[in-house]
């Protein structure tokens, strides 16, 4: 499984739909998760979150969309959870990130 294939498969697939990824690849869901972790050296959940946060950073830099609309667009179930995940991956909140980008 190459990185480009993985990125293509999960680009818009919510984390709760891992079974769809397994179906698309023709692999058992548990095997897919194990294989992914072995090859990518991180969990599928972490990888998907990182990709979503990178997209959030891009949207925060390039648009005036609200944090709420960005979180919805990226399939986070609520704004609070989005902020928590964003901060976990970046060390700052989306609002702080947008402010820092504007001031640089």
């Amino acid at each position: 499984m190459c990185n480009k294939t993985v990125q293509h498969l999960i680009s818009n697939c919510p984390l709760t739909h891992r079974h769809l990824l397994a179906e698309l690849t023709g692999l058992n869901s548990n095997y897919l998760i194990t294989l992914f972790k072995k090859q990518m050296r991180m969990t599928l959940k972490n990888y998907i979150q990182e990709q979503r946060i990178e997209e959030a950073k891009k949207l925060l830099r390039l648009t005036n969309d609200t944090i709420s609309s960005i979180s919805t667009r990226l399939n986070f179930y609520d704004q609070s959870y989005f902020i928590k995940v964003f901060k976990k991956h970046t060390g700052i909140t989306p609002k702080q990130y947008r402010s820092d980008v504007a001031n640089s």
Side-chain angles (χ1 to χ4, degrees):
M1 191 181 329
C2 72
N3 286 349
K4 285 188 180 203
T5 302
V6 170
Q7 287 175 343
H8 174 72
L9 287 172
I10 67 170
S11 61
N12 291 308
C13 185
L15 190 56
T16 56
H17 295 119
R18 287 185 283 199
H19 66 281
L20 293 176
L21 292 175
E23 190 176 307
L24 287 170
T25 60
L27 300 172
N28 172 284
S29 181
N30 290 332
Y31 179 69
L32 173 65
I33 292 166
T34 302
L35 182 62
F36 186 92
K37 187 172 183 178
K38 182 179 179 183
Q39 290 190 4
M40 300 298 288
R41 302 185 202 284
M42 69 172 63
T43 65
L44 181 58
K45 178 181 177 178
N46 250 7
Y47 183 82
I48 291 170
Q49 282 185 346
E50 282 187 9
Q51 296 302 308
R52 291 160 80 194
I53 296 306
E54 287 305 311
E55 182 65 17
K57 287 164 60 176
K58 183 176 99 176
L59 293 169
L60 288 164
R61 280 192 316 271
L62 301 176
T63 73
N64 291 321
D65 294 353
T66 65
I67 292 169
S68 179
S69 69
I70 291 172
S71 69
T72 300
R73 181 174 178 176
L74 297 176
N75 296 318
F76 284 91
Y77 61 84
D78 68 29
Q79 183 177 335
S80 297
Y81 181 66
F82 168 64
I83 292 168
K84 178 181 175 180
V85 172
F86 190 95
K87 190 169 183 175
K88 174 184 164 191
H89 285 271
T90 65
I92 58 176
T93 67
K95 185 177 179 179
Q96 290 169 320
Y97 179 84
R98 182 174 264 166
S99 177
D100 288 354
V101 168
N103 294 328
S104 62

